[in-house]
Amino acid sequence: MAEFMELEGQDGVRMAWNVIPGTKQEASNCVVPVSAVYTPIKPFPNMPVLPYAPLRCRNCRSVLNPFSIVDFAAKIWICPFCFQRNHFPPHYASISDENLPAELFPQYTTIEYQSPGEASSIPPVFMFVVDTSIIEEEMAFLKSALSQAIGLLPDNSLVGLITFGTLVHVHELGFGTIPKTYVFKGSKDVSKEQLLEQMNFFLIKPKPPTGVIAGARDGLSSESIARFLLPASDCEFALNSILEELQKDPWPTPVDQRASRCSGTALSIAASLLGACVPGSGARILAFIGGPSTEGPGAIVSKNLSDPIRSHKDLDKDSAPHYHKAVKFYEALAKQLVHQGHVLDLFACALDQVGVAELKVAVEKTGGLVVLAESFGHSVFKDSLRRVFRSEDKDLGLSSNGIFEINCSKDIKVQGILGPCASLEKKGPLCSDTIVGQGSTSAWKMCGLDQATSLCLIFEIVKKEIPDATLQSSNNQFYFQFLTYYQHSTAEMRLRVTSLSRRWVAGPGSIQDLIAGFDQEAAAVVMARLVSFKMEIEAEFDPIRWLDKALIHMCSRFGDYQKDSPSSFSLSPRFSIFPQFMFHLRRSQFVQVFNNSPDETAYFRMILNRENVANSVVMIQPSLISYSFQSAPEPALLDVAAIAADRILLLDSYFTIVIFHGSTIAQWRKAGYHNQPEHQAFAQLLQAPRDDADAIINERFPVPRLVICDQHGSQARFLLAKLNPSATYNSDGHHPGGDIIFTDDVSFEVFLDHLQRLAVQ
C-alpha cells in the first residue's frame, strides 16, 4: 500500500490497476475496471506554479510533459499521446539537457500554470436561501448560525438573501432606508423573464454595456445588480437586522397538515436571479432547508399528514407520486446552474426527510457541498457551516468554474466519471460506447470543487489482439493526462496538469505483474461507487449478487489453489484484504438500504462520490481503536470479539464516531473515580479517545456525529451494527466480558469459507 500512497502524494491519483491489462479481453477478465480516483486540486506543497501559458500539442491539445520525447538540437518535441511532432516557440530557444523548463522535470508530473492577467473581476457570491417554515426553536438556532456565518464571509464577497415558506421573499438589501422584499407565490414556477419584469430591472433603461460587471452582457446595469447583491462589508448590518426580525412563516398550518414549504420555487428564483446578475462567476446558493417541500414544483409530498413521505419501498414499487416530477424539475435546475457556472450547497436539517434524494442531481452536477443533520442546533450542522467559511488553516479551499479534461493513449477510451461533475458533451475518439456516470465526453464542467473533491474515472481498453513480444517490450506504456482549468480561491485562473504513465502487460505470465500492481483499497472504492451508481439507475439490480459474482471471479482468477480443493486456496498479500472490504461493503449503508430513508442513502452516496480513497475506505470498513490499561491505544479487529468490559473502543465510520465504554469502565465512570486524584490514570484513559475523536472531527467535512455510549446501552447499536458478527445469539460458546450480536447475518469466517469453496470450482 505504501508505494500507492506515495504515488498519490505526488499526483493525487490512485489507480485500481497500476500495471494495466493490455487487451480488451484481459481487462474484462480482471473484473474491477481500469480506473483512477483523482483529486484534481489536492494541495501539494512542493508543486511549482509556472507564471506562463502551457505549450500544447497542435494536434490533440495535450500539454508538454515529462513523457514527451524532446529533440534539443532540432527544437522539436513529440507528443506521447498522438505522436505529433511540434516545434518549440522562440522563447524556448535556450533549452538543453542541462537547462530544462520545469514542465519537463521528471519529478514534476503534476504542475500548475497561472496565466498572468486572467484573474476574475467578480468577487465570490453567496446567495443564502433560508427556510422559515420551521418551529421557533429551530428558527432561533438557524438565525444564530447564519449571523455567525455572515461574520466570517470575506469582506469583498457579494451576498444576497431569499427566505421562503408559503411564499418566496427576495430581500432587496441595497434599499437602505427600510427593509424591502419582493414576494412570489410559492405554488408556481417563475421564469427568469417574469422574475426580472416583476422586480423592475428594466425601469431604468439599461445603458450600453460598459463591461463593468459580468451581468452587463445581459444588459443589466451594476446599479440593478447592487439592489440584491451587496459586498458583505456594506450589508452586514442590514443582513443581521433582517435576520433578527425574521419570523417563522406566518401562514397557519391546520393540525392534520404539514407546513407549506416551496423549496423548489425558492431555489429556482435564486438560480434565475444569479443567472441574470452574475452569470459565469463563482456564485454559490446556500440552501438551508428544515422540512419536506410541499408546495410548487419540486414538492416531494402532499400537505396531508395522512400521506407518508416516500420510502425505499415506494421508490422500488414506483408508488411515490411526486418523486419523478420533482427529480425532473431538479434536473432542469441542475442544467441551468451548470450553464451559469453556479453551485448549489445543501444544508438539510430536520428529523423528517427534506428531499435530499430529489435534490441530489442538482447538488452533484454543480459540485456542491451537502450536510445532513437532525436539527439546526446540532453540532454536525453548526460546525460544518463554520468550516465552509473558515479562512485560516484547514479551510476547504473552495474553488469554482472548473473544466476537467482527459487525454490518453489511443488504445484507451473513457467510459465516464462517477463524481461531482457534469458532462460538457465534447464527443471524440476518446469516448467509449459504454457509458458509466457522466459519459460520452472527454470534458466535464466542475462548477464547484475543493481540495478534497475526488473523481472516479472509468476507462476501457480497446486493443483487441496482442502484438508480438518484441513490440510489447519496446513500447509498453499507456499515458494519461488530466487537465483541470479552475478559478483558484485567490480569484486567479489556474491550469493543473497531471501526466501519468503506466506499464501494460498481456498474454501468459502477466498475472503476477497484474497482482503486483493491484491497489485493493482503490479497487474497493471503485466497486463501491459502481455498485451505488448501478443501484440508482438499473431496475431490478441485485447488488449483493453482483458484488459476490465479481469477488468470486477475482478470486478464481488471481488466487492460488488446486482445483476443487478449498483448503488449498490462498491470496497474495496484494489481494488479501479485498474480500474483507467486499464483506463490509455488502453490509454497508451504500448497499443495505433497509432502515435508512431515501434521503440518508442519497446523502451517504453523495459523500462517497466526492471523497478520496482513504476517506472512502473508512466509510466502507470503519476503523476501530482499543484503549485499555494493559497497552497503548492499538487498532482492533472490526469484530464483536473486540468488545471487553475493561476496554474503551473508538469506532470511526466516517459519518459517525462512536466512543464505546466497556461495562466495567462505565461503572467506574458512573462512580466518579476519574475525579479522584489517586485515579489519575483512569481519567487519562477516559480522555484519550475523546482527544483522538476531536482530532478526527477537526479535520473532516461534513463534521461527523459523535456518539458516546456504554456497553449494553441503547446507543451501543451504533457500534454493534458495524462489527463482524462472529458471536451471535445462536453460536456456541460465550465470550467472557464480550458481547453477542442478535443477527442472522453471516460472519466473515462463514463468508470466506463459501468464497473459497466457490472460487476453486
Side-chain angles (χ1 to χ4, degrees):
M1 276 315 160
E3 68 266 47
F4 302 138
M5 306 284 242
E6 228 166 86
L7 289 171
E8 188 180 23
Q10 186 183 332
D11 292 317
V13 177
R14 292 277 291 266
M15 295 188 79
W17 302 101
N18 288 282
V19 175
I20 295 178
T23 64
K24 191 171 181 149
Q25 188 52 49
E26 297 259 343
S28 72
N29 289 347
C30 283
V31 186
V32 176
V34 174
S35 47
V37 177
Y38 177 54
T39 310
I41 57 168
K42 183 182 168 77
F44 296 115
N46 304 326
M47 179 188 67
V49 177
L50 308 180
Y52 48 83
L55 205 51
R56 286 177 175 260
C57 166
R58 62 171 199 244
N59 178 29
C60 69
R61 309 292 297 142
S62 63
V63 172
L64 177 66
N65 61 74
F67 305 111
S68 308
I69 300 160
V70 179
D71 178 345
F72 292 109
K75 299 283 182 279
I76 282 175
W77 62 281
I78 299 172
C79 165
F81 300 100
C82 67
F83 309 118
Q84 170 76 34
R85 300 164 72 81
N86 298 280
H87 289 277
F88 280 105
H91 58 275
Y92 277 79
S94 61
I95 66 166
S96 67
D97 265 343
E98 281 74 53
N99 183 19
L100 287 175
E103 62 264 45
L104 289 175
F105 274 47
Q107 71 269 37
Y108 293 149
T109 43
T110 291
I111 201 159
E112 221 161 68
Y113 295 90
Q114 173 198 331
S115 303
E118 262 201 59
S120 165
S121 57
I122 305 180
V125 181
F126 298 100
M127 176 65 81
F128 290 87
V129 179
V130 181
D131 183 356
T132 57
S133 288
I134 48 181
I135 57 172
E136 296 291 355
E137 183 187 13
E138 285 291 297
M139 200 75 217
F141 287 141
L142 179 54
K143 278 154 63 167
S144 117
L146 285 175
S147 59
Q148 264 193 357
I150 288 161
L152 293 170
L153 289 172
D155 280 346
N156 68 332
S157 59
L158 297 176
V159 188
L161 175 67
I162 293 177
T163 55
F164 68 94
T166 309
L167 305 170
V168 181
H169 298 256
V170 182
H171 296 262
E172 188 173 328
L173 300 173
F175 195 77
T177 40
I178 51 166
K180 177 175 170 187
T181 64
Y182 288 83
V183 182
F184 295 88
K185 196 169 168 187
S187 54
K188 67 175 208 273
D189 200 9
V190 185
S191 74
K192 190 165 160 185
E193 288 66 39
Q194 290 169 317
L195 178 81
L196 296 178
E197 191 71 22
Q198 192 167 337
M199 289 158 71
N200 342 334
F201 265 108
F202 301 122
L203 275 183
I204 319 161
K205 272 278 165 269
K207 302 185 202 79
T210 51
V212 184
I213 196 159
R217 28 168 198 247
D218 281 18
L220 296 185
S221 62
S222 44
E223 295 88 63
S224 303
I225 293 167
R227 289 163 52 202
F228 300 98
L229 294 174
L230 257 73
S233 49
D234 297 357
C235 68
E236 191 168 342
F237 176 72
L239 260 176
N240 278 321
S241 44
I242 292 174
L243 282 177
E244 267 165 40
E245 289 173 14
L246 200 56
Q247 297 296 319
K248 121 184 221 319
D249 191 49
W251 295 83
T253 306
V255 183
D256 59 345
Q257 292 202 349
R258 294 185 173 87
S260 179
R261 180 182 285 106
C262 57
S263 321
T265 314
L267 292 173
S268 172
I269 287 175
S272 296
L273 185 59
L274 288 177
C277 294
V278 285
S281 71
R284 303 185 85 94
I285 298 174
L286 296 109
F288 300 88
I289 303 182
S293 173
T294 55
E295 180 88 81
I300 64 161
V301 67
S302 72
K303 288 187 194 163
N304 282 338
L305 279 169
S306 55
D307 297 337
I309 296 187
R310 76 238 164 338
S311 65
H312 276 295
K313 208 176 216 155
D314 298 330
L315 296 182
D316 289 343
K317 294 204 308 227
D318 211 8
S319 58
H322 300 273
Y323 181 74
H324 295 292
K325 213 163 131 195
V327 170
K328 201 169 162 190
F329 170 76
Y330 286 119
E331 275 172 352
L333 182 69
K335 198 171 170 182
Q336 178 187 349
L337 287 169
V338 168
H339 176 68
Q340 295 171 186
H342 297 158
V343 185
L344 173 60
D345 296 324
L346 176 61
F347 297 87
C349 299
L351 286 167
D352 212 340
Q353 300 184 66
V354 307
V356 179
E358 285 82 356
L359 270 158
K360 175 174 189 276
V361 55
V363 177
E364 273 206 315
K365 283 197 173 173
T366 60
L369 306 168
V370 57
V371 175
L372 185 68
E374 288 172 6
S375 146
F376 286 115
H378 204 292
S379 64
V380 169
F381 164 70
K382 292 193 300 194
D383 297 347
S384 298
L385 182 62
R386 241 183 311 206
R387 185 80 47 87
V388 174
F389 299 111
R390 198 156 75 179
S391 53
E392 74 278 17
D393 63 320
K394 299 213 180 53
D395 70 335
L396 298 177
L398 294 178
S399 302
S400 54
N401 262 327
I403 289 181
F404 179 72
E405 292 191 65
I406 295 183
N407 251 318
C408 44
S409 300
K410 67 174 176 25
D411 290 317
I412 301 176
K413 289 193 172 180
V414 182
Q415 290 188 346
I417 291 186
L418 296 171
C421 61
S423 161
L424 280 175
E425 294 175 11
K426 180 185 171 188
K427 298 202 169 37
L430 276 181
C431 309
S432 160
D433 298 336
T434 316
I435 296 176
V436 178
Q438 297 289 310
S440 72
T441 176
S442 58
W444 292 262
K445 176 92 182 208
M446 301 180 76
C447 300
L449 65 168
D450 56 65
Q451 293 174 354
T453 306
S454 302
L455 302 173
C456 174
L457 324 171
I458 310 284
F459 299 103
E460 175 182 30
I461 308 298
V462 289
K463 196 185 325 186
K464 293 283 198 298
E465 73 298 331
I466 305 167
D468 52 31
T470 53
L471 197 69
Q472 185 176 331
S473 57
S474 65
N475 182 12
N476 61 349
Q477 296 288 331
F478 278 152
Y479 297 103
F480 302 87
Q481 191 172 65
F482 306 144
L483 306 174
T484 314
Y485 185 66
Y486 70 103
Q487 187 180 333
H488 192 260
S489 41
T490 55
E492 59 197 27
M493 296 306 290
R494 300 247 183 120
L495 173 68
R496 166 89 59 111
V497 181
T498 295
S499 310
L500 310 169
S501 118
R502 292 287 186 271
R503 186 163 67 91
W504 61 264
V505 293
S510 61
I511 281 207
Q512 286 314 313
D513 289 337
L514 289 172
I515 290 176
F518 182 66
D519 178 347
Q520 43 196 346
E521 288 187 350
V525 172
V526 170
M527 293 300 269
R529 284 204 196 191
L530 263 177
V531 79
S532 300
F533 169 70
K534 284 175 175 291
M535 286 177 78
E536 275 170 15
I537 64 148
E538 292 181 20
E540 306 295 315
F541 174 70
D542 183 345
I544 300 278
R545 191 186 157 97
W546 184 79
L547 287 170
D548 287 351
K549 272 174 76 169
L551 183 59
I552 292 163
H553 279 305
M554 290 277 286
C555 289
S556 57
R557 175 152 163 76
F558 295 103
D560 269 337
Y561 56 88
Q562 289 151 8
K563 196 157 169 47
D564 293 336
S565 161
S567 57
S568 67
F569 181 86
S570 70
L571 279 171
S572 123
R574 287 276 189 224
F575 273 85
S576 55
I577 323 175
F578 190 69
Q580 196 172 314
F581 286 145
M582 291 300 105
F583 171 75
H584 288 291
L585 177 58
R586 288 165 90 245
R587 303 184 72 216
S588 72
Q589 66 270 44
F590 306 116
V591 175
Q592 298 292 346
V593 296
F594 178 75
N595 221 0
N596 281 333
S597 67
D599 271 18
E600 287 169 311
T601 301
Y603 174 66
F604 296 141
R605 289 179 181 161
M606 283 158 94
I607 305 281
L608 172 75
N609 271 348
R610 53 171 295 130
E611 277 303 335
N612 63 17
V613 170
N615 282 343
S616 304
V617 164
V618 174
M619 298 177 209
I620 296 167
Q621 178 175 317
S623 71
L624 191 64
I625 299 173
S626 145
Y627 301 78
S628 66
F629 283 125
Q630 285 78 38
S631 65
E634 56 185 6
L637 272 178
L638 194 62
D639 192 300
V640 63
I643 295 176
D646 58 350
R647 260 190 200 171
I648 303 176
L649 295 175
L650 173 67
L651 176 92
D652 175 8
S653 69
Y654 196 83
F655 302 100
T656 315
I657 290 176
V658 184
I659 298 177
F660 175 96
H661 299 125
S663 49
T664 311
I665 301 266
Q667 282 166 351
W668 290 346
R669 191 198 67 232
K670 285 171 190 157
Y673 288 159
H674 55 293
N675 298 327
Q676 299 171 4
E678 66 271 26
H679 292 299
Q680 201 74 53
F682 179 55
Q684 284 164 358
L685 180 70
L686 280 181
Q687 192 53 41
R690 278 309 296 262
D691 294 345
D692 290 351
D694 288 344
I696 296 171
I697 288 170
N698 273 328
E699 291 282 330
R700 190 167 291 168
F701 182 90
V703 171
R705 172 182 181 174
L706 179 64
V707 175
I708 299 177
C709 61
D710 297 339
Q711 189 175 359
H712 312 307
S714 71
Q715 292 214 307
R717 64 182 190 276
F718 284 101
L719 173 74
L720 297 178
K722 296 288 182 192
L723 298 178
N724 168 35
S726 58
T728 64
Y729 67 96
N730 57 9
S731 55
D732 308 329
H734 184 58
H735 303 274
D739 230 324
I740 58 168
I741 294 181
F742 290 92
T743 180
D744 288 322
D745 283 359
V746 298
S747 67
F748 181 56
E749 293 71 27
V750 177
F751 175 75
L752 210 52
D753 191 45
H754 281 268
L755 174 63
Q756 289 172 351
R757 275 218 302 272
L758 291 162
V760 300
Q761 279 173 13

